[in-house]
Amino acid sequence: IHDTLVIQAPTPLQKGVERLLNIDEKFYRGIRNTYIEKRDLLLESLTERGFGVVPPEGSYYLFANFKNVPAIQHLPPMDAAMLLINRIGVATVPGDNFYSEGQDGKNYLRFSFCRQLDTLSEAAERISKLNYFSFKSPLRRISFLMLVAEIL
């Protein structure tokens, strides 16, 4: 059984892929266009607030530099992510979670845009108010696992 599972794709998966390959190309263009619309909505909101973002061409998230966003630029990524979830209700993932060593992720937050368009519109509206708040009070530190539990 092990040999069959690791040296070839199981027959049901092969049949599924065959069906996907026979779907009209318009279906895939529709999915692509929907994701572009979602990406652009979130991208515009983030860049208007000072986030530095390079538009991705093949993913469903934005890796955004937050060090030019006055309300959170002084914070480490976990604190910035916690502030966004606790104060404006927008969930992100701290950028340093994606690096096992070094400081490469210390200026970044990851925003996902694989949500419904109305959900992303609400998030964009909340993000648009980010720099109008004062966030001087200390934040309650919560572990990443507790953050996930709060979101769920």
Side-chain angles (χ1 to χ4, degrees), residues 32-104:
R32 180 180 184 274
N33 292 338
T34 299
Y35 273 91
I36 289 171
E37 181 181 11
K38 292 175 179 183
R39 178 199 68 193
D40 291 349
L41 172 71
L42 191 54
L43 180 71
E44 180 179 344
S45 178
L46 292 173
T47 56
E48 285 176 356
R49 290 291 130 229
F51 287 90
V53 187
V54 175
E57 295 182 16
S59 69
Y60 55 86
Y61 59 86
L62 300 170
F63 208 56
N65 186 318
F66 66 90
K67 290 303 178 176
N68 287 324
V69 180
I72 58 174
Q73 66 187 23
H74 61 287
L75 299 172
M78 177 60 86
D79 290 348
M82 294 307 302
L83 185 142
L84 291 175
I85 189 70
N86 287 326
R87 303 284 174 85
I88 66 170
V90 173
T92 68
V93 179
D96 57 356
N97 283 349
F98 301 100
Y99 298 90
S100 62
E101 57 187 54
Q103 299 293 311
D104 291 333

Side-chain angles (χ1 to χ4, degrees), residues 95-132:
D96 57 356
N97 283 349
F98 301 100
Y99 298 90
S100 62
E101 57 187 54
Q103 299 293 311
D104 291 333
K106 71 177 183 170
N107 297 330
Y108 292 89
L109 295 171
R110 188 178 87 165
F111 294 81
S112 174
F113 55 89
C114 62
R115 301 286 182 248
Q116 296 295 324
L117 194 55
D118 59 337
T119 303
L120 292 172
S121 294
E122 175 65 26
E125 179 65 27
R126 292 176 184 194
I127 290 166
S128 74
K129 297 174 182 167
L130 178 62
N131 290 339
Y132 299 109

